[in-house]
Amino acid sequence: MSIAQQSAQGREQRLLDEDRLFPADPGARAVARGLYAHIRDLPVISPHGHTDPRWYAENEAFPDPAELFVVPDHYVFRMLFSQGVKLEELGVPTLDGAPVETDSRKIWRRFAENYYLFRGTPTRIWLDHAFATLFDIDVVLSAKTADFYYERIAERLAQPDYRPRALFERFNIEVIATTESPLDDLRWHKEIAESGWKGRVITAYRPDAVVDPEFQDFQRNIERFGELSGADIGNFAGYLDAHRIRRSFFKSFGATSTDHGHATARTENLDRGEAERLYQKAIKGTISAEEADAFRGHMLTEMARMSLDDGLVMQIHPGSWRSHSKSIFTRFGRDKGFDIPMRTDYVRALKPMLDAVGTEPGLSVILFTLDETAYSRELAPLAGVYPCLKLGPAWWFFDSAEGMRRFRELTTETAGFYNTVGFNDDTRAFCSIPARHDVARRVDCAYLAELVVTGRLREDEAYEVAHDLTYRLVKEAYRL
Amino acid sequence: MSIAQQSAQGREQRLLDEDRLFPADPGARAVARGLYAHIRDLPVISPHGHTDPRWYAENEAFPDPAELFVVPDHYVFRMLFSQGVKLEELGVPTLDGAPVETDSRKIWRRFAENYYLFRGTPTRIWLDHAFATLFDIDVVLSAKTADFYYERIAERLAQPDYRPRALFERFNIEVIATTESPLDDLRWHKEIAESGWKGRVITAYRPDAVVDPEFQDFQRNIERFGELSGADIGNFAGYLDAHRIRRSFFKSFGATSTDHGHATARTENLDRGEAERLYQKAIKGTISAEEADAFRGHMLTEMARMSLDDGLVMQIHPGSWRSHSKSIFTRFGRDKGFDIPMRTDYVRALKPMLDAVGTEPGLSVILFTLDETAYSRELAPLAGVYPCLKLGPAWWFFDSAEGMRRFRELTTETAGFYNTVGFNDDTRAFCSIPARHDVARRVDCAYLAELVVTGRLREDEAYEVAHDLTYRLVKEAYRL
Amino acid sequence: MSIAQQSAQGREQRLLDEDRLFPADPGARAVARGLYAHIRDLPVISPHGHTDPRWYAENEAFPDPAELFVVPDHYVFRMLFSQGVKLEELGVPTLDGAPVETDSRKIWRRFAENYYLFRGTPTRIWLDHAFATLFDIDVVLSAKTADFYYERIAERLAQPDYRPRALFERFNIEVIATTESPLDDLRWHKEIAESGWKGRVITAYRPDAVVDPEFQDFQRNIERFGELSGADIGNFAGYLDAHRIRRSFFKSFGATSTDHGHATARTENLDRGEAERLYQKAIKGTISAEEADAFRGHMLTEMARMSLDDGLVMQIHPGSWRSHSKSIFTRFGRDKGFDIPMRTDYVRALKPMLDAVGTEPGLSVILFTLDETAYSRELAPLAGVYPCLKLGPAWWFFDSAEGMRRFRELTTETAGFYNTVGFNDDTRAFCSIPARHDVARRVDCAYLAELVVTGRLREDEAYEVAHDLTYRLVKEAYRL
């Protein structure tokens, strides 16, 4: 008899516990179960994420288990890398084309034998959820079960009901947003629109490539921006016009939001002459680091002004030191798990934009953070008073059970529930979407149940709040 | 049958849950109940707050429900404003006298229909407590119950036992401190003293208006300071004398403490020549921002020195960016819910003062924070070794169930219980005082109960600690 | 009948609760008990600490209760000092030899009558554990029981089985590391090695005295460094050789690690000319504060390079403002309880070292922090991707039940369990070692039990993780 059997005391060891993430206390658990039953089957609203619109346009089968679950998932390969597995061994492509592992089954085995590393992480919860609910697997992934897993998943992926559109419907997605650069021609969105398929896939306007003078190929990007928009990008006024034109184009493919991923939350409200001066230096490539930062900050205020006109909701995702390792960036490029959070200030940083437009009716700015210390100190106090500010959900490293719990504990008392906007999955890992939304729903129900049993919220109100957090607030906040 | 009824499973839905804020676990809850029963009825000691001494002096009826609960409460109107209600609609007066809503019943209805916004916030707990215990109401405030509420409250406010002195006695207040500027003539305190009423209302010395060179009308304030004190405020020595004289005057009206609300915790210990130089620039209005900051910092050390002489306890309340929104400040002035916490350093900031007087016997400095990250990193380690330093309770946005719990969890292990000073309500919302103290008592009992059931504190000791946290420590710390 | 008796409701009031630190919820508690039973009796691995090797070499009896538990323990005397007890009254020696209390019994009584100050602190748990398990005491220390305690402890300390080696064996220590400066001749380690005693006591290389140009007597230290190593410390290359030679000497006494206690986590990777220039200024005493900081930062990278050669594991313990009080430092010197944590940045600070050697196989750097905000924001994301980085356990003020719980809650979701290194006691309080390891084991079991009952970890896996956290990870991480 194994240790596990000795110790398990009859506890059921399914891959998914029906009561997962609910409070341990039986009284609170009962309340959480009731709340969850009430909202579990609501449609998924995914207002911000990074799935590939091509999937929905072409509706091809996903290639294989490793290509689906390992190679493109930075949560997965960063953990394996941290324990000495080379990115090459996981099939992560090099920039210079140096050969990497191409045998999917080998990659999968490497992943499987290291799957224990994910104990206690959200990745484990997401993956187990997909394995159990999509592939009807009920044993833990390990070296021993690697081949069983591989074959089961590969077999299913070949079936028509595992193609993107079928999964989209199975996942009960009411609407999903992708994220594109202004330089994107939105051809996949066009194909989707013309295909007659009823799935609602919309785009979002993410202009970093033409707003950040330090973005790779900025000058070339601006030229292309001019071509696509037809605006005169030789001066700042024309450059703003180009944004207006592309925003309008994005709106025609359903966009209701913009997204801004700067290193800090800095905003500026420069006078027009100074903005023009910085823009000229930016397009000539002579802008200093400080000036580039000021320009990015000013563009947030300009984007807010455009939002007042066209109604697009702004999202600000600041605070990541992108590509922290020089050697990994040089060999593999961006988005390789080396984006590290930094301390982030909001109070001083947002003031110029807030003084410019912060009390205007109709503006909506959703703030995210990778610095949890800002929740109770800065973000909840700001969102709890400025009508334009709302708090985005726990993000990235904090899109996790503890992360979401801390988000509620640290923001609710000051900002309430109604200055938050429900959940974002923010993922390109398509199969993790149901799991991520399920975790958010469970954690919110657990939090509400704690409030109920400790006399801080009436149970009838908790039912209403649970529904609002799952469905109503996200639709309202993102104007969906 | 409504959702709430379906889900409630027989749970009692009173406005106030008898066991609110106690642990969910039945074993821990039983211990918490026992502790709470032991300290629930102890008198309220309110050593720091902002109630208006005029109330106690004149003992007039409070005007109406909206004027009591909505118009002056920045917790209330900031939340409503964050969701699009205009301050004008809530009767908040404009600086230029532009008209605002004056119909109290309309204001009350606006508040009532938005009362759901406060779910999960301390404001909800405070208000429900007042509604239930003072006005015998047992339904939730909403659009539907707005008028019932309004009439019940208005009716009661007209009764003699709802006048300030009767409420003071009903609230079981042993002593309450108000907060006045050195420029205040303390006439209301004088009236109270001469009235023969036995309620103990004392003042506290809050000299920001004559210490902060960037305070509105600083030069005029200094002139008035000279007149009131009779000291020669033309030089720094005379200016310090003016403080000594006014501190002594405040002491004659019961003051046992001073209070300092600077933007940062910076202290300085300048030599006399430098202090004189900065003072001269301050009174001439030629002081720079950095010099003004140094001057404020130096004055904390001077105040500490005076405390060594006259025994007044110092309170430092740093870290608020006051009046963050330019447009709101311009239209409505200070204290309109736009004070936002900032990151606050204590280790470097307090060193000059601590090196000057930090190990002197008799000095007592109570530190507050709006930056919870300082609790475990800076404040508990400092208060856990410097004999002059004590930790004030969770403050402002953190005067809440979760905020108080975090305060205990983050400070007790390093500073213990005995370097803390019990509870401050710090409020001008008179009717919230019993609720606020009750929340603090419940949260402390819940925390102690958790320690007891997890074997970290003996139950007999927990009873003693509960009493100390509620009553003994605050009287000792504030020398009451 | 006392309050405690009235309230205790039959709760057992032993000095140690058998279930201490386990979850309150009965279901979770049962799981925690099972996990704890599985790992409770594993040997103690103490890879980093400050016990005195002379104890094990000479194996003399500890002098008396006050000298064992009060006089040398900064956790103890800092708390007493914070409440007005003078260090002199506790027998803490002055630098100038001014007389201090020498009557151990008087010191002990002072401590006993103030023992209530430690309620809720880890010191209380550690001391009660030692009193109960080593001295068979089952009443709380207080003024009333002071003499009983003193006599019992004194009597036992005189017995042979209370000598250091006997306690070492009784504590079930498999290996313990001490910490020495490169200027130490390791004579006590030599004596231990030659004594034939089988206890495994190893050293660790802590070069602050010869790496930090602002260290007391730096120039004299460097000279002595040259003498001990035989290297030419007149230039930087020779100085690096001196390190290599002393590291090798330390390895011959079992060292598997180095340790670095800088004020910040700053690293630099200077070119050789700049390093030489700073070194020359350092040994001439003409180095500026900024240059000294850069030099310390560069030396961390040099130490990492040496670790690649000789396999010593690096530990970085940054973020303490040492000797914060000028007057205490002047009168009593270092390590008097006045070391205060500071905000600490890792993302920018470590980049130069990480860019130089961060993805090299074989390097191992263990990071500690006194700034808990870095756990989830910086440390877990860094350790969750860089193969050389591991997270040291909750340290110093956070070596406590709540501190350890926060460590797991804030790091596990991003870095997992396998980028952590088990527990360090980091103490010179020998008798607290079993208690400290017991607390860590209990808190980890409580955390794992919570994961199990909330469906986030299977129970069989929790047993494996519990064993890993207690035993396997520390041995692997420290190469023991």
Side-chain angles (χ1 to χ4, degrees):
Chain A
M1 205 161 62
S2 78
I3 284 168
Q5 284 167 321
Q6 282 172 341
S7 65
Q9 302 173 329
R11 187 179 311 279
E12 203 180 349
Q13 301 255 323
R14 307 300 304 271
L15 204 52
L16 289 187
D17 183 327
E18 282 298 306
D19 283 332
R20 62 192 179 280
L21 304 175
F22 292 160
D25 174 71
R29 179 165 290 197
V31 177
R33 273 186 195 140
L35 293 166
Y36 178 66
H38 180 60
I39 52 93
R40 178 183 42 204
D41 299 326
L42 287 171
V44 164
I45 310 290
S46 177
H48 178 68
H50 300 275
T51 58
D52 190 340
R54 184 171 180 172
W55 297 336
Y56 315 116
E58 301 199 317
N59 201 33
E60 297 288 343
F62 290 106
D64 65 60
E67 280 295 331
L68 184 60
F69 285 115
V70 181
V71 181
D73 189 334
H74 57 80
Y75 287 92
V76 169
F77 59 66
R78 80 191 308 274
M79 177 64 92
L80 299 177
F81 187 75
S82 81
Q83 290 278 319
V85 182
K86 299 270 166 233
L87 294 183
E88 292 87 342
E89 297 175 295
L90 296 168
V92 177
T94 49
L95 288 180
D96 65 0
V100 300
E101 184 60 66
T102 54
D103 182 334
S104 272
R105 195 178 282 259
K106 270 197 194 157
I107 294 169
W108 184 262
R109 283 183 187 153
R110 230 161 247 142
F111 169 52
E113 71 204 15
N114 286 293
Y115 193 59
Y116 72 96
L117 297 173
F118 296 95
R119 287 170 180 163
T121 70
T123 297
R124 171 70 184 260
I125 293 177
W126 301 331
L127 289 170
D128 280 359
H129 187 278
F131 298 154
T133 61
L134 284 182
F135 302 101
D136 300 311
I137 295 174
D138 201 27
V139 295
V140 178
L141 180 59
S142 67
K144 238 191 302 186
T145 60
D147 285 350
F148 163 70
Y149 260 80
Y150 190 90
E151 282 147 29
R152 168 71 63 88
I153 296 170
E155 174 201 309
R156 294 283 176 94
L157 292 182
Q159 298 174 5
D161 50 341
Y162 282 78
R163 298 217 166 183
R165 292 185 183 176
L167 290 177
F168 184 101
E169 286 152 19
R170 176 174 179 158
F171 293 167
N172 194 19
I173 296 173
E174 184 175 311
V175 54
I176 197 167
T178 64
T179 305
E180 273 80 36
S181 148
L183 306 180
D184 194 293
D185 59 11
L186 303 186
R187 59 185 285 201
W188 305 114
H189 285 83
K190 194 151 173 287
E191 273 197 28
I192 297 166
E194 291 167 1
S195 73
W197 178 55
K198 296 289 171 225
R200 186 172 171 205
V201 178
I202 63 179
T203 184
Y205 188 74
R206 169 89 171 224
D208 299 359
V210 294
V211 155
D212 175 3
E214 297 177 323
F215 207 91
Q216 213 168 357
D217 301 324
F218 177 75
Q219 282 80 24
R220 211 160 62 197
N221 294 345
I222 290 291
E223 271 172 50
R224 176 86 185 121
F225 192 41
E227 289 161 23
L228 281 167
S229 63
D232 172 10
I233 47 76
N235 61 70
F236 189 63
Y239 165 75
L240 293 184
D241 280 339
H243 278 290
R244 287 188 196 97
I245 291 161
R246 293 306 283 169
R247 288 168 67 108
S248 169
F249 179 68
F250 273 56
K251 280 186 74 173
S252 75
F253 288 97
T256 69
S257 67
T258 69
D259 183 29
H260 309 275
H262 301 182
T264 74
R266 176 174 176 180
T267 65
E268 290 294 345
N269 186 17
L270 308 176
D271 64 40
R272 189 48 67 100
E274 177 66 1
E276 178 74 69
R277 195 181 69 78
L278 294 185
Y279 178 68
Q280 291 302 330
K281 290 181 105 171
I283 58 176
K284 291 189 181 78
T286 61
I287 197 163
S288 72
E290 160 57 22
E291 289 169 329
D293 202 44
F295 184 77
R296 286 187 296 264
H298 178 69
M299 281 308 297
L300 288 180
T301 302
E302 293 291 357
M303 289 286 125
R305 289 202 182 98
M306 289 186 203
S307 282
L308 280 171
D309 291 335
D310 65 17
L312 293 181
V313 171
M314 277 182 86
Q315 301 170 93
I316 302 182
H317 282 95
S320 179
W321 184 311
R322 303 275 170 176
S323 305
H324 188 265
S325 168
K326 197 168 63 180
S327 66
I328 297 295
F329 179 67
T330 306
R331 185 163 175 77
F332 297 96
R334 292 165 58 97
D335 302 324
K336 290 302 171 292
F338 277 87
D339 300 336
I340 310 289
M342 291 183 292
R343 213 182 281 149
T344 306
D345 160 70
Y346 293 86
V347 180
R348 181 179 302 274
L350 295 178
K351 189 167 164 47
M353 183 182 78
L354 291 171
D355 277 341
V357 293
T359 52
E360 294 289 331
L363 181 63
S364 184
V365 179
I366 302 175
L367 299 174
F368 294 81
T369 196
L370 294 173
D371 179 354
E372 293 179 296
T373 69
Y375 282 152
S376 68
R377 188 183 55 218
E378 304 178 25
L379 291 173
L382 286 166
V385 71
Y386 277 101
C388 63
L389 298 181
K390 298 275 177 293
L391 301 184
W395 174 43
W396 200 335
F397 297 107
F398 309 109
D399 177 9
S400 62
E402 299 285 351
M404 290 175 186
R405 186 181 54 78
R406 287 197 295 271
F407 173 77
R408 291 284 175 217
E409 287 182 358
L410 290 161
T411 65
T412 306
E413 293 183 322
T414 292
F417 291 110
Y418 295 93
N419 287 306
T420 67
V421 303
F423 181 64
N424 285 184
D425 56 66
D426 196 14
T427 193
R428 63 169 282 117
F430 190 45
C431 291
S432 75
I433 287 176
R436 289 171 191 252
H437 285 262
D438 186 62
V439 168
R441 292 172 187 198
R442 287 172 177 271
V443 172
D444 279 343
C445 288
Y447 178 70
L448 292 170
E450 292 284 356
L451 295 189
V452 169
V453 298
T454 57
R456 286 184 273 174
L457 184 66
R458 291 162 69 96
E459 197 166 6
D460 56 345
E461 295 184 88
Y463 274 79
E464 198 175 304
V465 175
H467 191 277
D468 290 342
L469 298 183
T470 308
Y471 191 75
R472 190 174 68 84
L473 289 178
V474 58
K475 290 190 75 165
E476 281 186 18
Y478 281 90
R479 300 175 180 172
L480 290 168
Chain B
M1 205 162 60
S2 76
I3 285 167
Q5 284 167 324
Q6 282 172 339
S7 66
Q9 304 174 328
R11 189 179 309 278
E12 202 180 350
Q13 301 253 328
R14 309 298 307 269
L15 205 51
L16 289 186
D17 183 328
E18 282 299 305
D19 283 332
R20 63 192 179 279
L21 305 176
F22 292 159
D25 174 71
R29 178 165 289 197
V31 176
R33 275 186 192 138
L35 292 165
Y36 178 66
H38 181 59
I39 53 91
R40 177 183 43 204
D41 298 327
L42 287 170
V44 163
I45 311 289
S46 177
H48 177 69
H50 300 275
T51 59
D52 188 341
R54 184 170 181 172
W55 298 336
Y56 315 115
E58 301 199 318
N59 201 32
E60 299 288 346
F62 289 106
D64 66 58
E67 280 295 332
L68 184 60
F69 285 116
V70 182
V71 182
D73 190 334
H74 57 80
Y75 287 94
V76 169
F77 60 66
R78 79 192 307 277
M79 177 65 91
L80 299 177
F81 187 75
S82 80
Q83 290 278 320
V85 182
K86 301 268 165 232
L87 293 182
E88 291 87 341
E89 297 175 294
L90 297 167
V92 177
T94 49
L95 289 180
D96 65 0
V100 301
E101 183 59 68
T102 55
D103 182 334
S104 272
R105 195 178 280 260
K106 271 198 195 155
I107 294 171
W108 184 261
R109 283 182 187 153
R110 229 161 249 143
F111 169 51
E113 70 205 18
N114 287 293
Y115 193 59
Y116 73 95
L117 297 174
F118 296 94
R119 288 171 181 164
T121 71
T123 295
R124 169 72 184 258
I125 294 178
W126 301 330
L127 288 169
D128 279 359
H129 187 279
F131 298 154
T133 62
L134 283 182
F135 302 100
D136 300 312
I137 295 175
D138 201 27
V139 294
V140 177
L141 180 60
S142 67
K144 237 191 301 187
T145 61
D147 285 349
F148 163 72
Y149 260 78
Y150 189 89
E151 282 146 30
R152 170 70 63 88
I153 295 169
E155 171 202 310
R156 294 283 176 96
L157 291 181
Q159 296 174 7
D161 51 341
Y162 283 77
R163 299 216 164 184
R165 290 185 184 177
L167 290 177
F168 184 101
E169 286 151 19
R170 175 175 178 157
F171 293 167
N172 194 21
I173 296 173
E174 186 175 311
V175 54
I176 197 166
T178 65
T179 305
E180 272 81 36
S181 148
L183 307 179
D184 194 292
D185 59 10
L186 303 186
R187 58 186 287 200
W188 305 114
H189 285 83
K190 195 151 173 287
E191 274 198 29
I192 295 166
E194 290 168 1
S195 74
W197 178 55
K198 294 292 171 222
R200 186 172 171 205
V201 179
I202 62 178
T203 184
Y205 188 74
R206 169 89 172 224
D208 299 358
V210 293
V211 155
D212 175 3
E214 296 176 323
F215 206 92
Q216 213 168 358
D217 301 322
F218 178 75
Q219 281 82 23
R220 209 160 64 198
N221 294 345
I222 290 290
E223 271 172 50
R224 177 86 185 120
F225 193 41
E227 289 160 24
L228 282 166
S229 63
D232 173 9
I233 48 75
N235 61 69
F236 188 63
Y239 166 75
L240 292 184
D241 280 339
H243 278 289
R244 286 188 196 95
I245 289 161
R246 292 305 284 168
R247 289 168 65 109
S248 171
F249 179 68
F250 272 57
K251 280 186 74 173
S252 76
F253 288 95
T256 68
S257 66
T258 68
D259 183 28
H260 309 277
H262 301 181
T264 73
R266 175 174 177 180
T267 66
E268 288 295 343
N269 186 17
L270 308 175
D271 64 40
R272 189 48 68 101
E274 177 66 2
E276 180 72 69
R277 196 180 68 79
L278 295 185
Y279 179 68
Q280 291 303 330
K281 292 182 103 170
I283 60 177
K284 292 188 180 80
T286 61
I287 198 163
S288 71
E290 159 56 23
E291 288 169 330
D293 202 44
F295 184 76
R296 285 189 295 265
H298 178 70
M299 282 309 295
L300 288 179
T301 302
E302 293 291 357
M303 289 286 126
R305 288 203 182 95
M306 290 185 201
S307 281
L308 280 171
D309 291 335
D310 66 17
L312 292 181
V313 171
M314 278 181 85
Q315 300 170 94
I316 302 182
H317 282 97
S320 179
W321 184 310
R322 304 275 172 178
S323 304
H324 188 265
S325 167
K326 197 168 63 180
S327 66
I328 298 295
F329 179 67
T330 305
R331 183 161 175 78
F332 297 96
R334 292 166 57 98
D335 302 325
K336 290 302 171 289
F338 278 87
D339 301 336
I340 311 289
M342 291 183 292
R343 213 181 280 149
T344 305
D345 160 71
Y346 293 86
V347 179
R348 182 180 301 274
L350 295 177
K351 190 168 163 50
M353 182 183 80
L354 291 171
D355 278 341
V357 294
T359 53
E360 294 288 330
L363 180 63
S364 184
V365 180
I366 302 175
L367 299 174
F368 294 80
T369 198
L370 294 174
D371 180 354
E372 294 180 296
T373 69
Y375 281 152
S376 68
R377 186 183 57 217
E378 303 178 28
L379 291 171
L382 286 166
V385 70
Y386 277 101
C388 64
L389 298 181
K390 298 276 176 291
L391 301 185
W395 173 41
W396 202 333
F397 297 107
F398 310 109
D399 177 9
S400 62
E402 300 285 351
M404 291 174 186
R405 186 180 54 78
R406 287 196 295 271
F407 173 76
R408 290 286 175 215
E409 287 181 359
L410 289 161
T411 64
T412 306
E413 293 184 323
T414 291
F417 292 109
Y418 294 94
N419 286 308
T420 66
V421 304
F423 181 65
N424 285 184
D425 57 67
D426 196 15
T427 192
R428 64 169 282 117
F430 191 43
C431 290
S432 74
I433 289 177
R436 289 171 191 252
H437 285 261
D438 186 63
V439 168
R441 290 172 190 198
R442 287 173 179 270
V443 172
D444 279 344
C445 288
Y447 177 70
L448 292 170
E450 292 283 356
L451 295 189
V452 169
V453 298
T454 56
R456 286 183 274 174
L457 185 66
R458 291 163 69 96
E459 195 165 6
D460 56 344
E461 295 183 88
Y463 273 78
E464 200 176 300
V465 175
H467 191 277
D468 289 343
L469 297 183
T470 309
Y471 192 74
R472 191 174 67 82
L473 288 178
V474 57
K475 292 192 73 166
E476 281 186 18
Y478 281 90
R479 299 175 181 172
L480 291 167
Chain C
M1 205 163 61
S2 78
I3 284 166
Q5 284 168 322
Q6 282 172 341
S7 64
Q9 302 175 327
R11 188 178 310 278
E12 203 181 349
Q13 299 255 326
R14 310 297 307 270
L15 204 52
L16 290 187
D17 183 327
E18 283 298 306
D19 283 332
R20 64 193 177 278
L21 305 175
F22 293 159
D25 173 71
R29 179 165 289 197
V31 176
R33 273 186 194 140
L35 292 166
Y36 178 66
H38 179 60
I39 53 91
R40 177 181 46 204
D41 298 327
L42 287 171
V44 164
I45 310 289
S46 176
H48 178 68
H50 299 276
T51 59
D52 190 339
R54 185 172 179 170
W55 296 338
Y56 314 116
E58 299 200 318
N59 202 32
E60 297 288 345
F62 289 107
D64 66 59
E67 280 294 332
L68 184 59
F69 286 115
V70 182
V71 183
D73 189 336
H74 58 80
Y75 287 92
V76 169
F77 60 65
R78 81 191 305 276
M79 176 65 91
L80 299 176
F81 187 75
S82 81
Q83 289 278 319
V85 182
K86 300 270 167 231
L87 294 182
E88 291 86 342
E89 297 174 295
L90 296 167
V92 178
T94 49
L95 287 179
D96 65 0
V100 301
E101 184 60 66
T102 55
D103 182 334
S104 272
R105 195 178 281 258
K106 271 197 194 156
I107 294 170
W108 184 262
R109 283 182 187 153
R110 230 161 248 141
F111 169 52
E113 70 205 17
N114 287 293
Y115 193 59
Y116 73 95
L117 297 174
F118 295 95
R119 287 169 180 163
T121 70
T123 296
R124 170 69 184 261
I125 293 177
W126 301 332
L127 288 169
D128 280 0
H129 187 280
F131 297 155
T133 61
L134 284 182
F135 301 102
D136 300 312
I137 294 174
D138 201 26
V139 294
V140 177
L141 180 59
S142 68
K144 237 192 300 187
T145 60
D147 286 351
F148 163 71
Y149 259 80
Y150 190 89
E151 281 146 30
R152 170 69 65 87
I153 296 170
E155 175 202 309
R156 294 283 175 94
L157 292 181
Q159 296 174 6
D161 50 341
Y162 283 78
R163 300 218 165 182
R165 291 184 183 177
L167 290 177
F168 184 102
E169 287 152 17
R170 177 173 178 157
F171 293 168
N172 195 20
I173 296 173
E174 185 175 309
V175 53
I176 197 167
T178 64
T179 305
E180 272 82 36
S181 148
L183 306 179
D184 195 292
D185 59 11
L186 303 186
R187 59 186 285 199
W188 305 114
H189 285 84
K190 195 152 174 284
E191 273 197 29
I192 296 165
E194 291 168 0
S195 73
W197 177 55
K198 296 287 170 224
R200 186 172 170 203
V201 178
I202 63 177
T203 184
Y205 189 74
R206 168 90 172 224
D208 299 358
V210 295
V211 155
D212 175 4
E214 297 177 322
F215 207 91
Q216 214 169 356
D217 302 323
F218 177 75
Q219 282 79 24
R220 210 160 64 200
N221 293 345
I222 291 291
E223 271 173 49
R224 178 84 186 121
F225 193 41
E227 289 160 24
L228 281 166
S229 63
D232 173 9
I233 48 75
N235 61 71
F236 189 62
Y239 166 74
L240 292 184
D241 280 340
H243 278 290
R244 287 187 196 98
I245 290 160
R246 293 305 284 169
R247 289 168 66 110
S248 170
F249 179 68
F250 272 56
K251 280 186 74 173
S252 75
F253 287 96
T256 68
S257 67
T258 69
D259 183 28
H260 308 277
H262 301 181
T264 73
R266 175 175 177 180
T267 65
E268 289 294 345
N269 185 20
L270 308 176
D271 65 40
R272 191 46 68 99
E274 177 67 1
E276 178 74 68
R277 196 181 69 78
L278 295 185
Y279 179 68
Q280 291 302 330
K281 291 181 105 170
I283 59 177
K284 290 187 181 83
T286 61
I287 198 164
S288 72
E290 160 55 24
E291 289 169 329
D293 203 44
F295 184 78
R296 287 189 294 266
H298 179 69
M299 282 308 296
L300 288 179
T301 302
E302 293 290 357
M303 288 286 126
R305 289 203 182 96
M306 290 185 202
S307 281
L308 281 172
D309 291 335
D310 66 16
L312 292 181
V313 170
M314 278 182 85
Q315 300 170 93
I316 302 182
H317 281 96
S320 179
W321 184 310
R322 303 276 172 177
S323 303
H324 188 264
S325 167
K326 197 167 65 179
S327 65
I328 297 295
F329 179 67
T330 305
R331 185 161 174 78
F332 296 97
R334 292 166 58 96
D335 302 325
K336 290 303 171 289
F338 278 87
D339 300 336
I340 311 290
M342 292 182 291
R343 213 181 282 149
T344 305
D345 158 72
Y346 293 86
V347 179
R348 181 179 302 275
L350 296 177
K351 188 165 164 51
M353 183 182 79
L354 291 170
D355 276 341
V357 294
T359 52
E360 294 287 331
L363 180 64
S364 184
V365 180
I366 301 174
L367 299 174
F368 295 80
T369 196
L370 294 173
D371 180 354
E372 293 179 295
T373 69
Y375 282 152
S376 69
R377 187 183 54 218
E378 303 177 26
L379 290 172
L382 285 166
V385 70
Y386 277 101
C388 64
L389 298 180
K390 297 275 175 294
L391 302 184
W395 174 42
W396 201 333
F397 295 107
F398 310 109
D399 178 8
S400 62
E402 299 286 352
M404 290 173 186
R405 186 179 55 76
R406 286 196 295 271
F407 173 76
R408 291 285 176 215
E409 287 182 358
L410 290 161
T411 64
T412 306
E413 293 184 322
T414 293
F417 292 110
Y418 294 93
N419 286 307
T420 67
V421 303
F423 181 63
N424 285 184
D425 56 66
D426 196 15
T427 192
R428 63 168 284 120
F430 190 43
C431 290
S432 74
I433 288 176
R436 288 170 191 253
H437 286 262
D438 186 62
V439 168
R441 292 172 187 197
R442 287 173 178 271
V443 173
D444 280 342
C445 289
Y447 178 70
L448 292 170
E450 292 283 358
L451 294 190
V452 169
V453 298
T454 57
R456 286 183 275 174
L457 185 66
R458 292 162 68 95
E459 195 166 7
D460 56 344
E461 295 183 88
Y463 273 78
E464 198 177 302
V465 174
H467 191 277
D468 290 342
L469 299 183
T470 308
Y471 192 74
R472 189 173 68 83
L473 288 178
V474 57
K475 291 191 73 166
E476 281 186 16
Y478 281 90
R479 300 178 179 170
L480 290 167

